Amino acid sequence: MLGEKYFQLDMSYWGRSRRLVIQILCIWALVAYGLPALVMETNKMNYLGFPLGYYNCAQVIPMFFGALLLIFNHVQEGIEADQMDGKPMVEAASSAALNAVLMKVYVAYTGGFISFVLFLGFLEAVGVPDQAIGILFVIFTLGMYAAIGIASRTSKSDDFYVAGRNVPPIFNGMATAADWMSGASFVGMAGTLYALGYDGLAYITGWTGGYVLVSTVIAPYLRRFGSFTVPEFIASRYQGTVQLPGGKVVEVSGVARFLATIVLLSCSFTYLTAQVYSTGVIVSRFIGIQFEVAVFSGLIGVLFCSLLGGMRAVTYTQVAQYVILIIAYTVPAICMSTTQDDGFNKNNPVEFLVYGGTLQAIALREKEMVLLGLASKVTPYLEPKWRRVDFFALTFCLMVGTASLPHVLMRYFTTPSVRAARRSVTWSLAFILVLYMTAPAYAAFAKLEVYTKVIGQPLSVLPQWVFTYGKIGLTSVCGKAVTSVNEAVEACAQATGGDYLLKLKDLKISKDAMVIATPEIAGLPYTIAGLVSAGGLAASLSTADGLLLAISNALSHDIYFRLIDDKASIQKRLFISRVLLVVIALMAAGTAASKPADILSMVAWAFSLAASGNFPALVLGIWWRRANAQGAIAGIICGWGLTLTYLLGTVYGGWELWGGISNVAAAMFGLPVGFAANIIVSLLTAPPPDNVLAMVDSLRDFKVTGEDLTAEELEDIKEKEEALARTQARQVSNTAGATAEATAEATAEVTAEVSI
């Protein structure tokens, strides 16, 4: 019957997997947009002292995304187990052995780093100058990263490009988290929350929710394809020919590759500039050198890792950097958390459960400052100031951009298998959540300290950190970056410092200074401030490593090797990649030295460029067989081109915002145009060739790679291959040539059945 046929479920591997993804994404969208839509209503309710609406966006939604990925992995692996008659897949013994070795190494490394921090704390206690401690932190971390780069040097192409495809999921998750938690997250996130309050939570919701898209829609399929770079996948997926007016037929996959590389360069270079900028902020503060000099000196550690060992060195360096940055971020928050006594918590070190009382104290202090004449008006920290459409637009662009960033996606090329890639995404989000669930607490503690211990105080007793960060232009009093009480008095045009109480409008703190300044704001030991500087440096350098590698690999592999000299040797390609690393790093440093914008804005631009240029081509390439090369080319040109035009026009051209949508959410215009252009042009032109359709089908089919098999299973397959080769060899001519040809064909057929 027609009705029975219509409602019959597709129980194939692809049918079940597709339904699971749709179900997960429906739940994901409902939570990601449903809870923020109710913020005004839910903020009237309290949970552990928290306004519930704020708490939902700051803590509940990110944790829910992590739980959703665990459910997805469990169900998807059950579907795969059914394809193997319930037999569980076992990772290769080599991967398990590497995991055990790395676990021992990094546990010892973590213990060593903690001991180093305690030693510096001892030096501070016995009177070693603060600047010397800051220099020791910076030199130690840069030297350690350089040492890892030297130890991991390689001349093998698969090690250089994809770390040999054998990185265990938990360590790839740590490396991805470090790669991800850039200067924007470490240096800029808490500062943005400090400045924007509730509206800043759009960054947390967007960046954590994006990993659901990565795991369900893109990463497993890219790993199954097995490419070195994102442009390589796009070129292979979008093959096709076009007949020119003169009758000449040309292959257009090279055009798709070139455009994908341009998208990669635009978003990655923008992102890279932000990391180099944050590196300059940290180095200039803690070593005491000029910002422009600090920007270039911070590249030393990056280049050592990237030049010598490529992805292999970058991966293991990023694991080390994650350990440092997460210790550096959580320790100050825990120290401040243990001092809280708000009626709900007392001396509680779990910072993301403690700051509810702090939020209430901020709300009370806001009203008090108005009553005391310290502020004419204060925008409530806990309430949304943006239109809801602005909050949702930024959240959406950050989510889609996360699933489109080449330097993030290429991390999942390094795992042993498709299953490991999915698990690696979950580990990535778990490690990222440690920082993102701490950032709101960090911002709240700092906000209350400034409101109560700085605002309303006489100029004569302003804390030293105001002047310290004034020297590098990150704080200002009465519109001037001051370095002493006398300068503050002069800036505020007062006769004496003791007569004037600092008002809220008088003090400006850069969002990029908040995290590194908070330990000093809270009066913590200088060793903690130095620790934060080491963490911020780790965050910026780890992301810069990945971005530099993504850019240089795309230029050397996708442009030079694939489009210019396809006969270039591996040694020549690696040499060109390393030269490009240096050139790109210097260009990024030169751009960052001009201080083009705050860190988080530059990063958000990169996300919009990646979303509009990559996401339509990647999603349609995997999920819609009819998408063809002409459609992909049209989609990239229209979507990415419109986003770039809007960014340049609003940032540098003086354009008015379209519909009031900020340029940090520029992909709201380019993304739908990119999808529409891809779909319309694909439907108006010939379908993809058969070999491309077969490739798409292979991405959707369940296959088992050698890395997913035990040694016994591999031996069994080898015996079957040999038996089949002997059987077919007896059926052909006894001549040597015919026998060799038949054996090769049989081996190729069997290999195709057991590999991706």
Side-chain angles (χ1 to χ4, degrees):
M1 296 293 291
L2 180 61
E4 293 178 358
K5 181 177 180 180
Y6 182 80
F7 289 106
Q8 185 176 5
L9 292 177
D10 180 1
M11 297 305 293
S12 67
Y13 171 76
W14 173 245
R16 295 174 65 189
S17 298
R18 181 177 53 195
R19 280 197 305 278
L20 174 62
V21 169
I22 293 172
Q23 292 164 356
I24 291 292
L25 292 182
C26 286
I27 298 171
W28 163 81
L30 180 64
V31 173
Y33 294 98
L35 291 181
L38 300 173
V39 62
M40 294 301 293
E41 293 75 18
T42 51
N43 256 352
K44 299 173 183 177
M45 310 174 196
N46 277 334
Y47 173 73
L48 294 178
F50 291 92
L52 188 58
Y54 187 96
Y55 191 76
N56 283 339
C57 292
Q59 317 290 162
V60 174
I61 293 176
M63 287 191 291
F64 180 83
F65 291 150
L68 199 60
L69 283 189
L70 289 174
I71 295 170
F72 171 70
N73 285 347
H74 176 74
V75 178
Q76 184 63 47
E77 289 179 14
I79 294 173
E80 292 171 354
D82 289 344
Q83 302 297 308
M84 300 182 65
D85 297 325
K87 185 177 182 180
M89 291 186 294
V90 181
E91 295 291 346
S94 59
S95 180
L98 178 61
N99 188 75
V101 171
L102 291 176
M103 192 68 72
K104 293 178 181 178
V105 169
Y106 284 108
V107 166
Y109 160 81
T110 303
F113 178 72
I114 292 173
S115 299
F116 174 72
V117 174
L118 293 175
F119 173 69
L120 292 184
F122 169 75
L123 293 182
E124 180 183 6
V126 298
V128 173
D130 290 348
Q131 188 171 9
I133 293 174
I135 291 173
L136 285 174
F137 262 120
V138 172
I139 291 177
F140 173 80
T141 52
L142 287 178
M144 182 185 58
Y145 305 150
I148 294 176
I150 294 172
S152 303
R153 61 188 181 276
T154 183
S155 59
K156 296 180 179 179
S157 61
D158 62 336
D159 278 346
F160 191 89
Y161 288 116
V162 289
R165 299 194 196 278
N166 68 344
V167 182
I170 185 172
F171 290 101
N172 194 55
M174 293 179 74
T176 305
D179 203 344
W180 173 258
M181 288 188 297
S182 58
S185 292
F186 192 99
V187 177
M189 175 62 77
T192 296
L193 291 171
Y194 174 94
L196 298 181
Y198 170 82
D199 293 327
L201 297 177
Y203 288 95
I204 291 181
T205 304
W207 281 338
T208 53
Y211 276 87
V212 178
L213 288 177
V214 173
S215 184
T216 57
V217 178
I218 293 178
Y221 304 99
L222 293 185
R223 175 59 187 89
R224 183 166 285 151
F225 178 72
S227 61
F228 279 172
T229 65
V230 171
E232 184 173 23
F233 169 79
I234 289 179
S236 299
R237 169 58 180 88
Y238 292 110
Q239 299 174 44
T241 58
V242 172
Q243 186 172 0
L244 300 179
K248 183 179 180 181
V249 177
V250 296
E251 169 63 47
V252 293
S253 64
V255 178
R257 183 190 296 272
F258 177 77
L259 290 174
T261 305
I262 294 299
V263 172
L264 182 149
L265 292 175
S266 67
C267 62
S268 297
F269 188 81
T270 305
Y271 208 154
L272 176 62
T273 300
Q275 310 319 308
V276 178
Y277 177 89
S278 62
T279 300
V281 170
I282 294 166
V283 174
S284 64
R285 162 64 185 94
F286 288 96
I287 292 187
I289 59 178
Q290 189 177 355
F291 173 80
E292 290 75 12
V293 177
V295 163
F296 285 93
S297 62
L299 294 177
I300 296 174
V302 180
L303 291 176
F304 259 105
C305 299
S306 304
L307 282 173
L308 297 174
M311 180 60 86
R312 180 184 174 188
V314 165
T315 296
Y316 297 125
T317 303
Q318 286 173 337
V319 175
Q321 288 165 331
Y322 176 81
V323 172
I324 290 179
L325 74 87
I326 209 63
I327 291 175
Y329 204 86
T330 55
V331 166
I334 291 172
C335 290
M336 290 185 286
S337 175
T338 56
T339 66
Q340 304 300 307
D341 183 3
D342 54 18
F344 299 95
N345 293 277
K346 183 176 182 180
N347 307 127
N348 188 340
V350 185
E351 68 281 357
F352 60 85
L353 295 177
V354 172
Y355 69 100
T358 304
L359 294 177
Q360 292 188 8
I362 290 172
L364 291 174
R365 180 59 176 169
E366 288 171 342
K367 297 175 182 177
E368 187 179 63
M369 287 189 296
V370 174
L371 293 175
L372 294 174
L374 298 174
S376 58
K377 182 181 179 182
V378 179
T379 303
Y381 186 74
L382 300 176
E383 296 179 9
K385 279 74 72 179
W386 296 350
R387 300 175 303 169
R388 290 188 183 182
V389 66
D390 297 325
F391 186 95
F392 292 149
L394 178 57
T395 298
F396 180 73
C397 289
L398 296 176
M399 286 177 173
V400 176
T402 299
S404 310
L405 283 176
H407 79 282
V408 172
L409 295 178
M410 67 187 289
R411 286 244 46 99
Y412 303 110
F413 298 158
T414 66
T415 57
S417 65
V418 173
R419 180 182 63 163
R422 279 196 307 268
R423 290 185 173 185
S424 181
V425 178
T426 306
W427 278 114
S428 301
L429 181 56
F431 289 123
I432 289 168
L433 284 177
V434 178
L435 187 146
Y436 278 8
M437 291 178 66
T438 303
Y442 212 116
F445 294 148
K447 190 85 168 179
L448 187 59
E449 287 284 335
V450 171
Y451 274 6
T452 57
K453 297 183 180 179
V454 181
I455 305 301
Q457 300 299 312
L459 297 181
S460 59
V461 296
L462 286 182
Q464 181 60 38
W465 62 265
V466 173
F467 309 126
T468 300
Y469 288 93
K471 293 178 182 178
I472 54 177
L474 296 179
T475 60
S476 67
V477 175
C478 296
K480 182 179 178 181
V482 299
T483 60
S484 67
V485 171
N486 290 337
E487 290 184 11
V489 171
E490 182 181 349
C492 296
Q494 302 299 315
T496 62
D499 296 334
Y500 183 76
L501 302 181
L502 190 71
K503 294 180 172 59
L504 181 62
K505 65 180 178 62
D506 296 334
L507 179 66
K508 302 296 181 186
I509 306 175
S510 169
K511 290 183 286 187
D512 300 331
M514 186 50 59
V515 166
I516 56 176
T518 293
E520 295 166 85
I521 292 173
L524 298 177
Y526 187 83
T527 300
I528 302 297
L531 174 63
V532 172
S533 76
L537 200 60
S540 298
L541 295 183
S542 62
T543 304
D545 279 331
L547 290 164
L548 276 173
L549 204 59
I551 295 172
S552 64
N553 286 356
L555 290 174
S556 64
H557 181 77
D558 291 294
I559 299 298
Y560 180 78
F561 177 59
R562 294 297 187 185
L563 299 180
I564 298 176
D565 183 7
D566 60 358
K567 295 182 176 58
S569 65
I570 292 175
Q571 289 74 21
K572 185 175 183 180
R573 287 153 53 195
L574 294 183
F575 173 76
I576 289 174
S577 181
R578 285 164 172 151
V579 170
L580 289 169
L581 276 171
V582 177
V583 173
I584 295 161
L586 292 174
M587 290 174 60
T591 306
S594 67
K595 301 182 179 180
D598 67 87
I599 296 172
L600 216 62
S601 293
M602 286 188 281
V603 168
W605 297 343
F607 277 74
S608 277
L609 290 170
S612 58
N614 281 338
F615 195 72
L618 290 172
V619 170
L620 294 176
I622 294 168
W623 292 85
W624 190 44
R625 295 174 82 246
R626 186 62 176 76
N628 63 16
Q630 295 92 322
I633 292 170
I636 293 173
I637 292 174
C638 295
W640 175 81
L642 179 60
T643 299
L644 182 64
T645 301
Y646 184 67
L647 275 173
L648 295 177
T650 54
V651 176
Y652 302 108
W655 291 9
E656 294 292 330
L657 297 178
W658 297 351
I661 299 296
S662 170
N663 53 45
V664 294
M668 285 302 296
F669 303 107
L671 187 63
V673 169
F675 268 109
N678 193 321
I679 293 171
I680 292 171
V681 174
S682 292
L683 292 174
L684 294 177
T685 52
D690 290 341
N691 66 306
V692 172
L693 295 176
M695 187 199 85
V696 175
D697 291 338
S698 72
L699 293 178
R700 301 172 173 187
D701 287 343
F702 175 75
K703 292 184 177 68
V704 182
T705 66
E707 294 290 352
D708 289 317
L709 301 176
T710 64
E712 293 78 9
E713 290 169 329
L714 290 171
E715 185 64 29
D716 182 56
I717 290 173
K718 182 178 179 181
E719 291 177 0
K720 290 179 180 178
E721 287 178 344
E722 293 173 350
L724 181 58
R726 288 194 298 270
T727 299
Q728 293 193 355
R730 288 194 296 268
Q731 296 174 354
V732 298
S733 168
N734 289 329
T735 63
T739 301
E741 181 181 355
T743 304
E745 290 177 354
T747 303
E749 291 176 1
V750 174
T751 303
E753 294 176 0
V754 298
S755 63
I756 291 177

